[in-house]
Amino acid sequence: ELKLPKRLVVELGDVVHKRTSGHILFAVELLNSMVRDSTIYFSMNRRQFHCRIDRLYSLKTDETVATFIISTLSTLNPDALKALRILSCCGFHTDLAVLNLLEESNISSCHGICDCLQYLVDVGIIDIAGGLVAFTHDLIQQHVYESIDLTQRRELHFNIALFLGLKTSMNST
């Protein structure tokens, strides 16, 4: 609890919300950085936190929510990263049923996709709603997609399309 006057808390809250678009992970990181650079500090004399309002508007945080989340990609386990690459080849969002089908395929890189989905939701990279799996931001999908080697990307697209095409033609006959 900050124990600050309401006018200061509202101003701090507005700045944090504007800088983070309300994304909780980024808000926590921004508040932590404010503590690190003493924009928010604890006064032992008054036994309460203080906020240097003059510093709030001059904070150097050029990161967006998407770039913050992208920076966490390097900490993902290899299976989660593999699942993200498959998801990125499917576009910004894809049907959960398609991912379940891909898990049944003989495409080695598609095995275990669905096992990683909840973890990816927990770290804020994807959302699952109404049977759709979607990236939380299009820049995240773009970054993951572009990080795949061009040859691998073409191979993934070809294998996914071939499998889904065969599966569709088998179901229609």
Side-chain angles (χ1 to χ4, degrees):
E1 185 177 319
L2 288 175
K3 295 183 181 181
L4 292 172
K6 187 174 181 176
R7 68 178 177 79
L8 296 179
V9 174
V10 168
E11 197 168 3
L12 174 62
D14 286 344
V15 169
V16 170
H17 189 266
K18 285 177 188 170
R19 295 276 176 110
T20 65
S21 301
H23 193 284
I24 191 64
L25 293 174
F26 193 55
V28 168
E29 185 60 33
L30 181 60
L31 288 168
N32 284 336
S33 73
M34 288 178 177
V35 170
R36 280 191 304 271
D37 73 4
S38 299
T39 300
I40 298 174
Y41 65 97
F42 187 76
S43 169
M44 295 298 278
N45 295 338
R46 294 186 180 177
R47 295 187 178 165
Q48 67 181 14
F49 283 92
H50 289 272
C51 180
R52 294 185 172 139
I53 297 299
D54 58 314
R55 287 190 180 183
L56 278 182
Y57 298 99
S58 62
L59 285 174
K60 292 188 174 32
T61 55
D62 56 356
E63 293 180 329
T64 63
V65 175
T67 56
F68 172 71
I69 294 171
I70 287 169
S71 71
T72 66
L73 293 179
S74 62
T75 64
L76 295 179
N77 67 52
D79 290 336
L81 195 52
K82 181 176 72 171
L84 269 183
R85 288 183 172 139
I86 299 296
L87 286 170
S88 74
C89 286
C90 295
F92 178 72
H93 61 81
T94 190
D95 198 291
L96 191 54
V98 171
L99 297 178
N100 286 326
L101 273 177
L102 288 174
E103 278 211 324
E104 297 172 12
S105 75
N106 60 354
I107 306 169
S108 62
S109 56
C110 290
H111 296 286
I113 297 173
C114 295
D115 297 337
C116 298
L117 294 181
Q118 189 56 53
Y119 170 70
L120 294 170
V121 168
D122 293 343
V123 295
I125 295 174
I126 63 168
D127 282 325
I128 302 174
L132 281 180
V133 178
F135 283 87
T136 54
H137 200 287
D138 62 335
L139 290 177
I140 299 168
Q141 184 269 337
Q142 180 183 349
H143 174 79
V144 172
Y145 185 74
E146 290 174 353
S147 71
I148 304 170
D149 175 71
L150 186 58
T151 305
Q152 276 186 310
R153 198 183 320 160
R154 287 179 179 155
E155 186 179 317
L156 271 173
H157 277 291
F158 178 78
N159 289 336
I160 291 169
L162 182 64
F163 174 76
L164 293 176
L166 289 171
K167 195 74 168 169
T168 304
S169 66
M170 292 163 95
N171 289 342
S172 64
T173 55

